[in-house]
Amino acid sequence: MIDAVGLHKTYRLKKRQVHALNGVDLHVESGEIFGVVGQSGAGKSTLLRSVNLLERPDSGTVRVGDEELTSLRGSRLRAARRGIGMVHQHFALLSSRTVAGNVGFPLEVAGVSRSKRATRVGELLELVGLGDKARAYPSQLSGGQKQRVGIARALASDPHVLLSDEATSALDPATTDSILALLRRLRDELGLTILLITHEMDVIKRICDSAAIMENGEFLESGRVLDLIGTPGSLLARSLFPLPDNGGPQSVVITYPRSFDEPFMSELTRRFDVDVNILGGGVEQVAGQSVGRLSVDMRGERRREALSYLSEHGLLVEEAGK
Amino acid sequence: MTINPADVLVLAQEGNAVSAIGDFLADWPNMWPSLWLGTQDTIYMVWWATVFSVLVGLPLGVLLVATDRGGLIPAPAVRAVLSAIVNIGRSLPFIVLMVAVLSLTRFLVGTTLGPTAAIVPLSIGAIPFFARLVETSLREVDRGVVEAAHAMGTRKFTIVGKVMLPEAMPGLIAGLVMTVVTLISYSAMAGAIGGGGLGDLAIREGYQRFNDHYLWATVILLIVIVQVAQSLGDLLVRRLSRR
């Protein structure tokens, strides 16, 4: 749905140049939630703004759907932007307009008649659970409610793509949960494609199907979250699941998708003659699937062989001290 | 500080304050026809100067913001020129500006005397003043909101009309009130060169003919007019503030 190829963008500050985008390729499948995570200054924001051309990349192309945005200007670019919703970290609502006035704004700009607007605004507010707040002003709403208004506004012109710029970063944990749940539900119900940027690993873990880690204007890693979890040495997996510190030098953390139903523990002890002692474990939800995590203490002559056997079978093996 | 007994004696001889106020009030009906005329002239001058200040100052203020780096239509050279013009207008004392534009006034109005002629220098003086206030208010508008409007595919003209100006409205109204109050004070100065209005009255009757009653009366009327303007403005600002 979103295809960006070879994006470069350089800012010239007083003395030095900043490569905000340094050859980024981004592919977001239709209907997926793609998260870009990174520290501030990594270039996430520039990347997101390149997709609807709020920032025009110095080079590279951006396609959304079957339109090449980078070739558009003026009224055709504005028309294309109406097909891409955007949600902002600080909500960016018009303080002089009511909730209904804010949600109706994109329709007003697109020249939709007043009566059609009123109907659509009503639907959108119901969709985000703010049916009773139509006549309130943004200053009378909580952060979470403001973001719901922002989301309703972003959906007003029936976009296929939603861009989320740190949508939950200004919210408390409970509100963050409800907003993430809302985004996920909207994806499921409306078939939206969502590209989000965040600095919170938790957001990736909760709702993203695919993810990329960004640093210094480049993707260090990108792919489907479940695949990355099974990839040894994956930065993303390591960031999503920091190693527990309850193990000794011999401890190993094994991460596996729940669908993995081979009895690997007993197989290990049988085949490689190692002693396995379970230190801890749990199941976490990642990309809508359960992922198991086991922290074990493993000893024996053939420990190394046992671990590589696990890796070969698609489990993520992380050793303490490495 | 020392008190000179002679001064105290003079004060006592001049009669007490109560009788002075009594004299003033007794004189009021005699003064009223010319005071009322002066008030009308002042309101007339200030009204039209305000209209022209908004008509020219508002677009000028918008342009100052829009042409700035990171604005809607970045054009640093244009901005520098506009800004310089505004600064020139702002740096001239009003009394000098009035004299400096006399020939323009004569060209536009046909005379340099009377309230209609005074509208020309008043407008020229207030336009840059209001433009700067507009600029300041517009800069207060959240950049994120403007960006959001771009992301929704909004035309630049619409962004000014439907985002920037409505969002800045309380500040714009406050700026307008400040401009009106400044114009009232300028209009009194216009009286010095025969512009008419309450200032004219204060100078001709009060200063040149030593009639203190006229001086007091004009002061009172000017205070009332400013208070009314300021209160109406404050009311409007409170009504419009949704933050």
Side-chain angles (χ1 to χ4, degrees):
Chain A
M1 195 65 182
I2 303 174
D3 283 290
V5 184
L7 297 184
H8 283 269
K9 176 87 184 182
T10 307
Y11 294 107
R12 277 156 198 87
L13 295 180
K14 295 217 170 74
K15 281 266 166 74
R16 62 204 183 88
Q17 294 192 334
V18 178
H19 299 282
L21 295 178
N22 205 354
V24 174
D25 296 331
L26 171 73
H27 300 284
V28 183
E29 298 289 323
S30 186
E32 80 170 342
I33 302 182
F34 191 109
V36 178
V37 68
Q39 313 260 308
S40 53
K44 313 185 291 288
S45 186
T46 308
L47 175 65
L48 194 78
R49 279 165 179 69
S50 295
V51 174
N52 60 1
L53 254 57
L54 285 178
E55 307 240 21
R56 192 172 277 275
D58 296 336
S59 64
T61 56
V62 175
R63 301 182 68 86
V64 174
D66 36 294
E67 225 165 1
E68 190 187 321
L69 261 62
T70 30
S71 69
L72 303 179
R73 281 176 190 277
S75 65
R76 292 191 55 203
L77 176 59
R78 287 199 298 274
R81 276 179 180 159
R82 285 184 207 129
I84 304 173
M86 190 169 186
V87 184
H88 308 262
Q89 177 175 6
H90 298 295
F91 324 122
L93 301 176
L94 288 119
S95 61
S96 54
R97 286 181 172 230
T98 60
V99 164
N102 269 284
V103 175
F105 185 86
L107 300 170
E108 200 177 314
V109 165
V112 177
S113 75
R114 186 180 290 268
S115 60
K116 276 190 188 163
R117 240 156 50 206
T119 319
R120 180 88 182 111
V121 167
E123 289 168 10
L124 288 160
L125 288 177
E126 287 300 328
L127 186 67
V128 299
L130 285 179
D132 56 335
K133 295 285 184 200
R135 304 181 68 169
Y137 281 88
S139 60
Q140 300 165 313
L141 303 179
S142 70
Q145 289 172 327
K146 283 181 196 168
Q147 197 54 291
R148 282 168 191 270
V149 176
I151 292 170
R153 177 176 69 178
L155 297 176
S157 46
D158 267 322
H160 298 293
V161 173
L162 188 67
L163 305 178
S164 162
D165 178 10
E166 300 268 11
T168 58
S169 298
L171 303 175
D172 62 66
T175 315
T176 295
D177 278 355
S178 75
I179 293 294
L180 291 179
L182 174 63
L183 287 176
R184 191 175 188 98
R185 179 165 68 83
L186 292 172
R187 190 277 302 269
D188 295 342
E189 287 178 10
L190 308 175
L192 282 175
T193 303
I194 302 179
L195 172 64
L196 62 85
I197 61 170
T198 182
H199 63 269
E200 296 166 311
M201 272 295 168
D202 224 34
V203 172
I204 304 286
K205 197 193 278 186
R206 290 258 169 77
I207 63 166
C208 292
D209 306 302
S210 298
I213 297 190
M214 201 166 179
E215 200 178 287
N216 296 328
E218 291 174 60
F219 279 181
L220 295 182
E221 198 176 281
S222 82
R224 296 191 60 77
V225 174
L226 286 173
D227 294 345
L228 290 173
I229 283 172
T231 308
S234 158
L235 275 166
L236 188 82
R238 185 55 77 84
S239 312
L240 283 176
F241 303 111
L243 286 179
D245 52 6
N246 59 351
Q250 299 292 316
S251 75
V252 175
V253 175
I254 301 163
T255 309
Y256 56 97
R258 197 65 190 285
S259 55
F260 193 89
D261 58 357
E262 286 170 54
F264 62 88
M265 279 301 162
S266 52
E267 197 170 344
L268 278 188
T269 47
R270 217 178 313 122
R271 274 197 182 202
F272 302 103
D273 194 25
V274 288
D275 292 317
V276 180
N277 183 24
I278 295 176
L279 301 171
V283 176
E284 297 202 52
Q285 291 292 321
V286 175
Q289 295 200 36
S290 314
V291 170
R293 294 264 290 162
L294 271 183
S295 176
V296 299
D297 189 86
M298 194 181 292
R299 291 156 202 256
E301 291 274 306
R302 300 171 65 194
R303 180 173 184 272
R304 185 115 320 275
E305 281 177 66
L307 293 181
S308 40
Y309 174 80
L310 289 177
S311 296
E312 280 159 25
H313 283 73
L315 281 72
L316 176 63
V317 177
E318 294 162 292
E319 293 180 69
K322 285 203 174 175
Chain B
M1 174 184 152
T2 57
I3 295 170
N4 188 341
D7 288 345
V8 178
L9 198 68
V10 168
L11 277 175
Q13 281 167 346
E14 278 183 356
N16 58 45
V18 177
S19 78
I21 291 173
D23 289 350
F24 172 64
L25 290 178
D27 202 13
W28 187 269
N30 303 328
M31 297 189 290
W32 180 243
S34 45
L35 285 175
W36 177 230
L37 213 65
T39 306
Q40 283 175 310
D41 281 351
T42 295
I43 292 173
Y44 167 80
M45 287 187 283
V46 170
W47 165 256
W48 283 109
T50 305
V51 168
F52 290 122
S53 305
V54 172
L55 284 180
V56 183
L58 187 68
L60 190 54
V62 169
L63 276 178
L64 281 171
V65 176
T67 53
D68 204 0
R69 256 175 268 277
L72 289 174
I73 38 167
V78 175
R79 192 192 130 75
V81 172
L82 289 177
S83 189
I85 292 173
V86 166
N87 284 343
I88 291 169
R90 297 272 292 121
S91 54
L92 288 184
F94 183 67
I95 196 120
V96 176
L97 181 109
M98 273 193 307
V99 180
V101 300
L102 275 179
S103 48
L104 177 69
T105 307
R106 188 173 293 116
F107 173 73
L108 288 175
V109 189
T111 171
T112 60
L113 295 174
T116 306
I119 293 172
V120 177
L122 284 175
S123 305
I124 294 175
I127 285 167
F129 181 73
F130 185 57
R132 280 287 182 221
L133 293 175
V134 169
E135 183 193 4
T136 315
S137 306
L138 291 178
R139 284 195 193 286
E140 303 273 306
V141 174
D142 181 5
R143 294 181 72 95
V145 178
V146 175
E147 188 192 66
H150 276 297
M152 288 184 268
T154 317
R155 302 169 64 95
K156 288 170 183 173
F157 202 74
T158 313
I159 290 182
V160 172
K162 291 203 171 190
V163 178
M164 292 172 67
L165 292 178
E167 286 292 288
M169 198 48 84
L172 292 175
I173 298 292
L176 186 65
V177 173
M178 214 189 271
T179 306
V180 168
V181 170
T182 305
L183 275 171
I184 294 170
S185 113
Y186 282 179
S187 79
M189 258 191 268
I193 59 161
L198 289 173
D200 192 22
L201 213 53
I203 288 176
R204 271 192 297 112
E205 297 292 332
Y207 179 68
Q208 287 166 351
R209 300 173 69 177
F210 307 105
N211 190 337
D212 285 351
H213 289 176
Y214 268 102
L215 208 54
W216 299 349
T218 49
V219 166
I220 290 168
L221 284 173
L222 285 171
I223 290 174
V224 169
I225 294 173
V226 169
Q227 289 291 346
V228 168
Q230 186 71 50
S231 308
L232 283 177
D234 289 348
L235 195 75
L236 209 56
V237 170
R238 258 201 306 281
R239 276 282 181 90
L240 289 168
S241 276
R242 296 290 184 187
R243 278 175 208 280

